[in-house]
Amino acid sequence: MEELAIQLAQKQLDAYNSQNLEEFLSVYSEDVEVLEFPTNKQMYKGIERMRERYEALFKNNPNQHAKLLTRMAKGNIVIDHEYVTGRTNEIEVTAIAMYEIKGNKIGRVWFVK
């Protein structure tokens, strides 16, 4: 399971960086949940909501890039620490995302706030 979790996290990161929306979405479950950590407040749920958000993100930030700083994995959980540059607003950010694999897709994502 750990190997699959790492593969899915890497595939979505590569697709994010190439702004390939369909490839990016292909690793997520239809009912993917995106939450804030540590509150577990739901940001949104479902692949169509994710499609809307990332389609706009890619369109509005054609030069963005997430550099993987660190990745940890245990079982069906992957934690990525990333440095994101190239956004239109010129703000560079560090991001921490946690991915939970359910079946053979990413079923839940937490973003550390």
Side-chain angles (χ1 to χ4, degrees), residues 5-111:
I6 291 168
Q7 289 172 356
L8 292 173
Q10 187 61 49
K11 184 175 180 179
Q12 67 85 38
L13 179 63
D14 292 343
Y16 177 95
N17 284 333
S18 66
Q19 296 204 350
N20 183 332
L21 183 62
E22 295 309 316
E23 186 78 10
F24 177 79
L25 295 173
S26 74
V27 302
Y28 291 95
S29 67
E30 288 293 317
D31 60 348
V32 61
E33 259 189 296
V34 181
L35 309 161
E36 291 180 2
F37 184 88
T39 64
N40 273 341
K41 177 183 173 193
Q42 188 178 80
M43 297 168 65
Y44 58 92
K45 183 174 183 172
I47 199 75
E48 288 310 313
R49 291 282 294 133
M50 180 173 264
R51 175 184 300 282
E52 291 168 11
R53 290 180 68 102
Y54 281 89
E55 187 172 43
L57 183 70
F58 292 167
K59 180 181 177 188
N60 295 328
N61 299 279
N63 297 314
Q64 76 181 349
H65 183 268
K67 178 181 178 183
L68 184 63
L69 301 175
T70 308
R71 173 172 287 153
M72 296 183 288
K74 182 163 174 76
N76 68 329
I77 302 289
V78 174
I79 302 172
D80 281 357
H81 182 205
E82 302 167 351
Y83 187 66
V84 182
T85 59
R87 290 203 169 154
T88 303
N89 64 10
E90 298 182 4
I91 296 173
E92 298 179 354
V93 297
T94 57
I96 297 176
M98 297 181 282
Y99 305 99
E100 180 183 17
I101 310 312
K102 294 181 175 184
N104 62 351
K105 300 266 188 172
I106 298 172
R108 192 174 292 150
V109 181
W110 290 267
F111 290 108

